[in-house]
Amino acid sequence: MNLGDLVEIGQDYAHWREWYGAAADVLQQLPFMPVLGNHETYDTPDEEHSTLPLYFLHQFYLPENGPQGLQRQVYSFDYGPVHFSVLDSQFQEEQSERPGLLADELHWLEQDLADSRQPWKVVCFHKTPYYNKAVRANEALKKALLPILDKYQVDLVINGHDHAYSRTYPLRGDHFGEHPSEGTIYLITGRSGRK
């Protein structure tokens, strides 16, 4: 899994050529399940100008079981005893092109988790509800997602975006648990190499 920001400017194919060149050995040997990051929505070096992640959507063969209009951008799959739900957390970048994205995802996620019979549930998306830096708090995402994650006892949430590794203690409703069974662990994967 890659938790987003595969490239710097998602609508510049020169960046994708560089990425494929660097990732070729891994991609030839392992299944690859990407998560959409905010950089996949950028169409200029200016981070304030975003669009739909067209290059991302047209080059990966991903499950098409997400909500209507968000297939391959939002999806889920089972791997052994684990159910993975993959979300698009770029509702701010995509709001002008795709209003209602977050509401559609929340409705889909609730049904997706309710239908899963796997003993382990993992949810992946790019922007985390628990940032390493207080100035990057995403309270809207946190308020929207946490009730669903708590209700379906998601075991692990994996995020990217922050350029550092961290994890929480098990959390349920913003309260720490003593054991993993008492909440969800939120993991920020950091990154490899320099930006």
Side-chain angles (χ1 to χ4, degrees):
M1 303 242 11
N2 183 303
L3 278 295
D5 291 352
L6 285 72
V7 296
E8 187 72 14
I9 304 171
Q11 303 314 300
D12 182 342
Y13 202 76
H15 289 242
W16 288 103
R17 276 195 301 275
E18 293 283 329
W19 183 81
Y20 279 113
D25 290 343
V26 173
L27 295 174
Q28 292 172 14
Q29 298 181 41
L30 297 173
F32 180 70
M33 305 304 283
V35 175
L36 182 68
N38 55 304
H39 281 267
E40 279 75 53
T41 69
Y42 296 163
D43 65 355
T44 68
D46 176 11
E47 294 182 7
E48 299 300 317
H49 196 268
S50 297
T51 187
L52 293 177
L54 298 177
Y55 283 2
F56 177 91
L57 292 172
H58 289 96
Q59 54 192 340
F60 297 111
Y61 183 73
L62 299 170
E64 295 190 16
N65 57 357
Q68 184 65 36
L70 294 172
Q71 294 90 346
R72 292 177 291 140
Q73 203 166 330
V74 175
Y75 60 92
S76 65
F77 63 95
D78 293 336
Y79 188 83
V82 183
H83 180 73
F84 288 88
S85 303
V86 177
L87 303 176
D88 175 355
S89 60
Q90 281 51 252
F91 58 92
Q92 293 167 324
E93 287 84 359
E94 298 174 57
Q95 65 187 342
S96 64
E97 303 278 343
R98 185 67 169 84
L101 180 136
L102 184 59
D104 290 348
E105 284 187 280
L106 295 175
H107 178 74
W108 174 85
L109 178 63
E110 181 136 22
Q111 191 63 53
D112 181 65
L113 292 173
D115 290 346
S116 174
R117 299 294 168 248
Q118 302 304 95
W120 297 94
K121 292 177 179 54
V122 176
V123 176
C124 301
F125 51 96
H126 184 63
K127 292 180 179 174
T128 178
Y130 292 103
Y131 283 98
N132 290 313
K133 301 176 187 175
V135 296
R136 289 182 76 155
N138 195 334
E139 294 301 318
L141 181 67
K142 184 175 169 183
K143 182 179 177 184
L145 278 175
L146 263 56
I148 296 171
L149 301 175
D150 288 348
K151 178 179 178 179
Y152 292 98
Q153 300 177 354
V154 169
D155 299 286
L156 179 65
V157 170
I158 309 175
N159 303 120
H161 199 55
D162 274 3
H163 293 202
Y165 174 88
S166 65
R167 74 158 183 83
T168 66
Y169 289 96
L171 292 168
R172 183 158 292 131
D174 266 347
H175 300 287
F176 292 114
E178 295 285 324
H179 304 285
S181 63
E182 296 175 351
T184 302
I185 294 173
Y186 294 82
L187 172 69
I188 300 174
T189 60
R191 60 182 168 74
S192 61
R194 295 188 311 165
K195 182 171 166 58

